[in-house]
Amino acid sequence: GDVYKRQMKYIDINSNMTALMKKQTFENFDFSLFSPVPDNSGKSSLDIAKTVYNSAKDFSDNFENGSNLMLKGNAGTGKTYISSCIANRALARGKTVYYQTSYKLCETLENVKFGKYENPDELSSAVSVIKYINSVDLLIIDDLGTEFITQFTAAALFDLINTRLINNKSTVISVSYTHLRAHETLRHL
């Protein structure tokens, strides 16, 4: 009882999710925000939302052994919300989760690599975060392509994702179509 509760609290605290994100669940998903009117392709945004919802829910209920998911879409279409839903479902399953924007993730990797922390406690904390990111059951990288891509950040992201693949750890990556650089970044990964 108590040990399990303490462990779940530790997992929740270390997920790096905001209070708002913790309320973004599959149970709170609002399909009324999506139009049922088909576009030129014959699909409505409601149809697409239902497909994404079902795929994301299935993934979050069943991910194991390094399965991965990529969410692609225009800005403002709910990729971060769906990522939060996946994270919350995984946390409810007792899985360890770490959420971070690609910008902040790259910034942390770069700051550790190039010794940009003057305070030893900040450096130690950042190194601990990187170790945690490598070991969590589910890493969520939000908004890939918004960060400034350098040779280092491309190599660091490749190394991180590759290490997770080798260790059978699952990753969710969201990419906005409006960030054309994301496609360039993904080609290098």
Side-chain angles (χ1 to χ4, degrees), residues 111-112 114-128:
N111 288 347
V112 168
F114 297 111
K116 294 184 179 178
Y117 292 104
E118 293 177 17
N119 180 331
D121 290 339
E122 286 179 349
L123 175 60
S124 177
S125 176
V127 168
S128 294

Side-chain angles (χ1 to χ4, degrees), residues 68-80:
N68 301 291
L69 182 68
M70 180 171 290
L71 302 170
K72 298 184 283 185
N74 293 322
T77 54
K79 295 177 301 297
T80 299

Side-chain angles (χ1 to χ4, degrees), residues 4 25 37 42 44 48 51-52 64 66 88 110 117 121 133 135 170 173 185 187:
Y4 178 76
T25 64
V37 179
S44 69
I48 295 166
T51 300
V52 170
E64 301 293 337
N88 284 309
E110 195 170 279
Y117 292 104
D121 290 339
I133 288 169
S135 67
S170 297
I173 299 174
T185 302
R187 268 201 307 270

Side-chain angles (χ1 to χ4, degrees), residues 51-63:
T51 300
V52 170
Y53 174 94
N54 289 329
S55 295
K57 191 172 182 193
D58 182 57
F59 175 85
S60 64
D61 285 338
N62 300 300
F63 77 87

Side-chain angles (χ1 to χ4, degrees), residues 46-112:
L46 179 60
D47 294 334
I48 295 166
K50 286 179 179 178
T51 300
V52 170
Y53 174 94
N54 289 329
S55 295
K57 191 172 182 193
D58 182 57
F59 175 85
S60 64
D61 285 338
N62 300 300
F63 77 87
E64 301 293 337
N65 302 324
S67 55
N68 301 291
L69 182 68
M70 180 171 290
L71 302 170
K72 298 184 283 185
N74 293 322
T77 54
K79 295 177 301 297
T80 299
Y81 190 98
I82 283 289
S83 293
S84 296
C85 293
I86 292 168
N88 284 309
R89 180 62 59 97
L91 288 167
R93 289 179 56 209
K95 300 291 186 180
T96 54
V97 175
Y98 190 80
Y99 165 90
Q100 190 54 274
T101 63
S102 63
Y103 176 83
K104 281 291 204 186
L105 181 59
C106 287
E107 183 180 60
T108 301
L109 293 168
E110 195 170 279
N111 288 347
V112 168

Side-chain angles (χ1 to χ4, degrees), residues 146-160:
T146 57
E147 69 288 340
F148 178 71
I149 296 296
T150 64
Q151 281 186 314
F152 171 76
T153 54
L157 281 170
F158 174 83
D159 184 54
L160 173 65

